[in-house]
Amino acid sequence: MKALYEACEDKNKADLSIGEYKDGEGKSMVLNVVREVETDISERDDLTKDYLPIAGDREFCHYAEKLVFGSKCKALNENRICSVQSIGGTGGVRLAAELIKKCAPKKIIYIPDPTWVNHKSIFTRCSLEIREYGYFKNGFDFLHLIKDLKAAEEGSFILLHACAHNPTGTDPMPDEWKQIFDILQEKNITPVFDSAYLGFATGNYQKDALAIREAVSRGIPCLVAQSFSKNLGLYSDRVGCLSVVCDSEKEAENVFSQLKAIIRPMYSNPPTHGSLIAGTIFANPFLIRKWKSEMKGMSKRIKDMRQLLYRELHRKKTKRSWDQVIQQIGMFSYLDLEKEHIEKLRNEYHIFMSPSGRASISGVNYGNINYIVKSIHTVLRR
Ligand code: PMP
């Protein structure tokens, strides 16, 4: 889709397919705190290009654990969590899948319908048996989800989006998470949290990690794949962290060895640049404050654009309710459009979104809102 957008020469073209944050002028940006740290790094003469250990930068992993689980987390303080640096969030999910393939007695994973397209490819590559659970049908389908979980196989795994579900932008409420975890505990099903949008969804890392923290505080073993692509804007630096919450310190040590045995023949060790930037920020309360304020700014701009899109579609009395635009959270909104509308928007109006109707709200700005709304309105009226 990105290539189609770039090749398009229409001056009104709008890219709502992107998974990268764009600023109010539709441009990619580097966070100020990242620029600042990169400048400091470039002036340091103690840094080398030596290899990182197989499991990556230990300090970075330690801070990443503290961020997601909180420094008071019992499992963390009992050394029951092991973590490795991963190649972005994708790499973390892949390592989780490889670990299941290598070590789990039951190689079955439940994934939401719909989900991020890469999940199926990753789990297929690792020869896991994929089963789907109901998630979204004209809105969050909690009853379907619960029904499917109750029928799920004991001792299996389940992929959960920690927050800002991609592509639907729809998450369970806190009480619904509790009901989900009740069933997982009952059936000994292990969650794999894909956490690509922590901090980016509400602007608050702790709040976005609510589901993960609830599971861990209940003593549920789980796997957590964090990505720092979106929330730090480090897309091309490929930095993430996979943590495995175990029942004992001994088990965490064993899992850590297994992960290193998986990584070594795959890519030997991860790259340094992204983890050095992220680790430097996480180690310094002043830089963390700066980062959090910028993260909040990105999250707020997306929320503002949701309100604007909703208001303008209503002002034009465009068919359908559009409530989902302001109800959904995170980067994406699942627009209530049919295939023919999505194709017309792309082919005739040069508005690009994924074929499922997933629109990246970060691609909306004051410069293109009128054109986007006018185009959607016209396509739905015809
Ligand atoms: N999981 C989900 C749900 C995502 O949306 C994405 C990014 N599109 C990823 C994982 C991958 O993140 P990364 O770019 O850090 O590999």
Side-chain angles (χ1 to χ4, degrees), residues 101-119:
K101 177 186 174 188
K102 192 162 189 251
C103 305
K106 277 201 187 148
K107 302 174 200 312
I108 302 170
I109 187 150
Y110 289 82
I111 62 170
D113 174 24
T115 193
W116 181 47
V117 284
N118 217 5
H119 285 147

Side-chain angles (χ1 to χ4, degrees), residues 19-20 87-93 115-119 122 159 161 163-167 194-197 225-230 234-236 238-240 331-332 358:
E20 292 148 8
I87 312 286
T90 311
V93 176
T115 193
W116 181 47
V117 284
N118 217 5
H119 285 147
I122 291 172
L159 188 286
H161 293 234
C163 71
H165 180 276
N166 175 7
D194 185 343
S195 320
Y197 299 93
Q226 287 183 85
S227 161
F228 297 105
S229 301
K230 321 275 171 178
L234 293 176
Y235 306 95
S236 62
R238 312 307 298 136
V239 59
M331 195 174 242
F332 304 109
R358 188 199 76 173

Side-chain angles (χ1 to χ4, degrees), residues 305-364:
M305 290 305 107
R306 286 184 180 281
Q307 290 290 342
L308 183 68
L309 183 59
Y310 174 82
R311 258 198 333 266
E312 292 304 307
L313 285 164
H314 270 284
R315 206 162 59 80
K316 260 187 131 13
K317 299 197 171 44
T318 307
K319 284 181 191 165
R320 312 193 175 188
S321 93
W322 306 109
D323 287 351
Q324 76 279 18
V325 173
I326 47 171
Q327 282 162 0
Q328 294 167 352
I329 62 160
M331 195 174 242
F332 304 109
S333 193
Y334 219 28
L335 297 184
D336 185 13
L337 297 170
E338 275 93 58
K339 198 163 163 259
E340 60 169 306
H341 302 131
I342 295 157
E343 281 172 7
K344 272 197 184 119
L345 283 168
R346 183 174 65 239
N347 298 334
E348 297 175 27
Y349 296 89
H350 317 289
I351 295 175
F352 295 78
M353 63 182 83
S354 87
S356 62
R358 188 199 76 173
S360 176
I361 303 298
S362 148
V364 178

Side-chain angles (χ1 to χ4, degrees), residues 72-363:
K72 295 199 181 112
C73 171
K74 193 161 170 272
L76 193 59
N77 294 321
E78 290 174 355
N79 300 320
R80 286 193 284 113
I81 303 180
C82 67
S83 299
V84 295
Q85 186 178 331
S86 61
I87 312 286
T90 311
V93 176
R94 177 65 187 261
L95 289 178
E98 294 284 351
L99 186 67
I100 295 170
K101 177 186 174 188
K102 192 162 189 251
C103 305
K106 277 201 187 148
K107 302 174 200 312
I108 302 170
I109 187 150
Y110 289 82
I111 62 170
D113 174 24
T115 193
W116 181 47
V117 284
N118 217 5
H119 285 147
K120 253 189 198 161
S121 317
I122 291 172
F123 298 135
T124 304
R125 280 268 161 183
C126 293
S127 312
L128 304 189
E129 183 183 330
I130 300 172
R131 297 184 188 170
E132 289 187 326
Y133 62 90
Y135 193 85
F136 191 92
K137 197 165 192 199
N138 304 319
F140 180 47
D141 197 353
F142 184 60
L143 292 180
H144 196 165
L145 183 154
I146 290 295
K147 183 174 135 270
D148 287 349
L149 288 197
K150 283 188 174 159
E153 180 113 359
E154 296 224 0
S156 58
F157 291 81
I158 181 169
L159 188 286
L160 296 167
H161 293 234
C163 71
H165 180 276
N166 175 7
T168 68
T170 308
D171 293 339
M173 300 296 281
D175 183 54
E176 292 169 332
W177 276 119
K178 287 192 173 138
Q179 293 180 58
I180 292 169
F181 294 137
D182 283 344
I183 303 174
L184 299 190
Q185 269 183 306
E186 225 174 270
K187 309 202 78 170
N188 191 25
I189 296 173
T190 306
V192 178
F193 287 102
D194 185 343
S195 320
Y197 299 93
L198 291 179
F200 195 87
T202 64
N204 180 319
Y205 216 92
Q206 208 168 327
K207 220 171 171 179
D208 288 349
L210 176 137
I212 295 172
R213 291 189 182 193
E214 168 72 22
V216 176
S217 75
R218 283 170 173 236
I220 301 177
C222 54
L223 297 92
V224 178
Q226 287 183 85
S227 161
F228 297 105
S229 301
K230 321 275 171 178
N231 50 28
L232 271 167
L234 293 176
Y235 306 95
S236 62
D237 285 314
R238 312 307 298 136
V239 59
C241 179
L242 174 71
S243 300
V244 185
V245 182
C246 302
D247 283 331
S248 67
E249 186 171 354
K250 182 80 196 124
E251 189 185 53
E253 280 167 15
N254 291 341
V255 170
F256 189 60
S257 300
Q258 294 294 343
L259 283 170
K260 285 193 288 184
I262 290 168
I263 292 168
R264 179 74 177 127
M266 252 210 288
Y267 54 88
S268 270
N269 45 65
T272 322
H273 193 66
S275 59
L276 184 57
I277 296 169
T280 307
I281 295 172
F282 301 161
N284 181 327
F286 177 69
L287 295 177
I288 288 187
R289 270 202 299 282
K290 275 191 163 178
W291 169 46
K292 286 189 172 167
S293 145
E294 288 192 74
M295 200 157 59
K296 229 180 210 145
M298 292 190 283
S299 165
K300 178 165 184 319
R301 199 190 81 73
I302 293 181
K303 278 188 207 144
D304 290 348
M305 290 305 107
R306 286 184 180 281
Q307 290 290 342
L308 183 68
L309 183 59
Y310 174 82
R311 258 198 333 266
E312 292 304 307
L313 285 164
H314 270 284
R315 206 162 59 80
K316 260 187 131 13
K317 299 197 171 44
T318 307
K319 284 181 191 165
R320 312 193 175 188
S321 93
W322 306 109
D323 287 351
Q324 76 279 18
V325 173
I326 47 171
Q327 282 162 0
Q328 294 167 352
I329 62 160
M331 195 174 242
F332 304 109
S333 193
Y334 219 28
L335 297 184
D336 185 13
L337 297 170
E338 275 93 58
K339 198 163 163 259
E340 60 169 306
H341 302 131
I342 295 157
E343 281 172 7
K344 272 197 184 119
L345 283 168
R346 183 174 65 239
N347 298 334
E348 297 175 27
Y349 296 89
H350 317 289
I351 295 175
F352 295 78
M353 63 182 83
S354 87
S356 62
R358 188 199 76 173
S360 176
I361 303 298
S362 148

